[in-house]
Amino acid sequence: MGAPTIDTSVDNGRGGWVPYYYWPSLPAAAIFVALFAITGAIHTYRLFKYKGWYFVPFIIGVIFQAVGYAGRIGSHYDFNSLTFFIMQSLLILLAPALFAASIYMTLSRLAIALHAENLLIIRARWLTTFFVTGDVLSFLAQSAGGGMMAQGDPAGADRGQKIITGGLFIQIFFFGGFIIIATIFHSRLNKSPSHVHEKIKGRKYLLTMYFANGLILVRSVFRVIEYVMPHDGVLMRNEAYLYIFDALLMFLVVAVYLVVKPYGEIFDEWKRRKDLGDLELTRRDRPQEREAMTSSGDIESALSSRSFAEQKPHSSRR
């Protein structure tokens, strides 16, 4: 039996507005509920194992995804339910903003763990604050727009689409800025003669960050195009686009952070330095080493100057 006909006439009780222009696919939604539920459970286990609490927003985003696609299962069985429509539209829309919040916090922690925060163009303590603030603004705008779209009338849907589009533009703006800052940091790290070992240790984390950011950026651009188009545009009428340019891309973001753990290992060094309060003056920032690196440009001179600085107090006491 085929899916029932969808009534888009002005006499359908909502002025022609419908939650979907297709009957939501049960198999597709069920697959992604399972994928996000399984990966979310693994992430949650590792979160408590490694105590990487800054990744809590990311895991909440994974839960949003799983529950959001469960809402699409509900819509399959109850097409006109606003509850299921609101559940899936808001949670799937907002989840990437939560992914972004944790990814923003990764760069400052990585820089501190590598003793390379002096290579950031924004101080590590302000980096997270700045970008997470932008992420919150994007989150709030998309939440407000999603609520308006769920009112169940054409006028509300139109206003909601415009507000969501504004929120997505905010997200893209901050993502673009973050990628630029991360790229500059990576370039400086590669060129720094005093960070030879650190650039090797940090490479996989930076590449993972680029990969995840790129996927979220593509997804956000897709969403902008989707919401700029009319509510009955081609992207809204074909469910496959949602699964290709949103569900699949976001699952890859979740999966890549299972392969490259964003807690434990190198981030233990960040915790150690944070506990010791050793965040403002790295070993590369100390005056003796900076002078040595400026004159000779190699690690050996920096280490020699450090050794001299450490021995000097002993000689003065003799």
Side-chain angles (χ1 to χ4, degrees):
M1 180 185 292
T5 302
I6 298 171
D7 183 9
T8 60
S9 68
V10 294
D11 299 323
N12 69 354
R14 291 176 179 158
W17 183 87
V18 290
Y20 311 93
Y21 284 90
Y22 50 79
W23 207 265
S25 169
L26 175 61
I31 288 171
F32 279 95
V33 168
L35 290 175
F36 284 117
I38 293 169
T39 53
I42 298 172
H43 270 296
T44 302
Y45 166 75
R46 289 182 175 178
L47 173 75
F48 285 96
K49 178 180 179 181
Y50 295 102
K51 296 180 174 57
W53 307 122
Y54 79 100
F55 234 64
V56 167
F58 189 97
I59 293 173
I60 294 174
V62 181
I63 295 171
F64 273 26
Q65 292 280 11
V67 177
Y69 286 101
R72 293 183 74 85
I73 293 177
S75 290
H76 173 83
Y77 289 107
D78 189 354
F79 180 85
N80 291 306
S81 169
L82 281 179
T83 299
F84 289 132
F85 175 71
I86 293 170
M87 180 192 303
Q88 67 86 33
S89 62
L90 278 179
L91 297 183
I92 294 173
L93 179 68
L94 297 175
L98 295 168
F99 294 165
S102 288
I103 293 172
Y104 288 150
M105 287 186 269
T106 300
L107 181 59
S108 61
R109 282 162 172 75
L110 181 60
I112 291 169
L114 297 175
H115 294 256
E117 61 266 37
N118 58 309
L119 302 180
L120 291 167
I121 63 173
I122 296 179
R123 294 174 71 90
R125 64 167 58 183
W126 295 114
L127 181 67
T128 296
T129 301
F130 177 74
F131 284 104
V132 170
T133 299
D135 198 53
V136 169
L137 293 175
S138 171
F139 184 94
L140 293 175
Q142 292 179 70
S143 298
M148 290 183 181
M149 283 193 67
Q151 291 176 356
D153 67 89
D158 184 62
R159 288 193 302 271
Q161 283 187 222
K162 291 177 181 177
I163 294 174
I164 288 173
T165 302
L168 288 168
F169 272 120
I170 293 173
Q171 188 176 71
I172 290 172
F173 172 79
F174 279 92
F175 251 117
F178 181 76
I179 291 172
I180 290 171
I181 289 174
T183 302
I184 292 172
F185 169 77
H186 195 183
S187 175
R188 289 179 173 181
L189 185 68
N190 285 335
K191 294 176 181 178
S192 173
S194 57
H195 292 85
V196 174
H197 299 295
E198 283 84 349
K199 71 181 179 182
I200 296 173
K201 290 192 293 184
R203 181 181 297 145
K204 68 177 180 179
Y205 298 101
L206 287 166
L207 293 178
T208 300
M209 191 186 305
Y210 293 146
F211 179 74
N213 284 349
L215 292 179
I216 296 175
L217 192 60
V218 170
R219 174 264 178 196
S220 296
V221 171
F222 159 72
R223 283 294 199 170
V224 166
I225 296 172
E226 180 185 41
Y227 286 113
V228 165
M229 298 177 70
H231 182 63
D232 60 349
V234 63
L235 296 183
M236 290 285 196
R237 286 183 174 274
N238 193 330
E239 187 179 21
Y241 290 116
L242 172 73
Y243 283 101
I244 294 171
F245 293 106
D246 196 321
L248 178 60
L249 298 188
M250 294 307 93
F251 172 70
L252 291 176
V253 171
V254 175
V256 75
Y257 277 110
L258 286 179
V259 178
V260 180
K261 294 191 294 290
Y263 22 68
E265 299 175 356
I266 196 171
F267 293 97
D268 287 339
E269 175 65 8
W270 170 79
K271 293 178 185 177
R272 186 192 68 79
R273 296 193 65 213
K274 179 176 180 293
D275 292 340
L276 292 175
D278 183 28
L279 300 184
E280 290 301 315
L281 196 62
T282 71
R283 65 176 183 269
R284 274 83 181 188
D285 282 332
R286 291 171 181 146
Q288 297 93 337
E289 295 179 19
R290 185 167 60 245
E291 181 180 353
M293 283 188 289
T294 301
S295 60
S296 64
D298 58 25
I299 301 174
E300 289 76 15
S301 296
L303 293 175
S304 298
S305 65
R306 181 180 182 183
S307 177
F308 175 76
E310 291 173 346
Q311 294 174 7
K312 190 173 181 180
H314 296 288
S315 60
S316 62
R317 289 196 295 266
R318 291 174 182 173

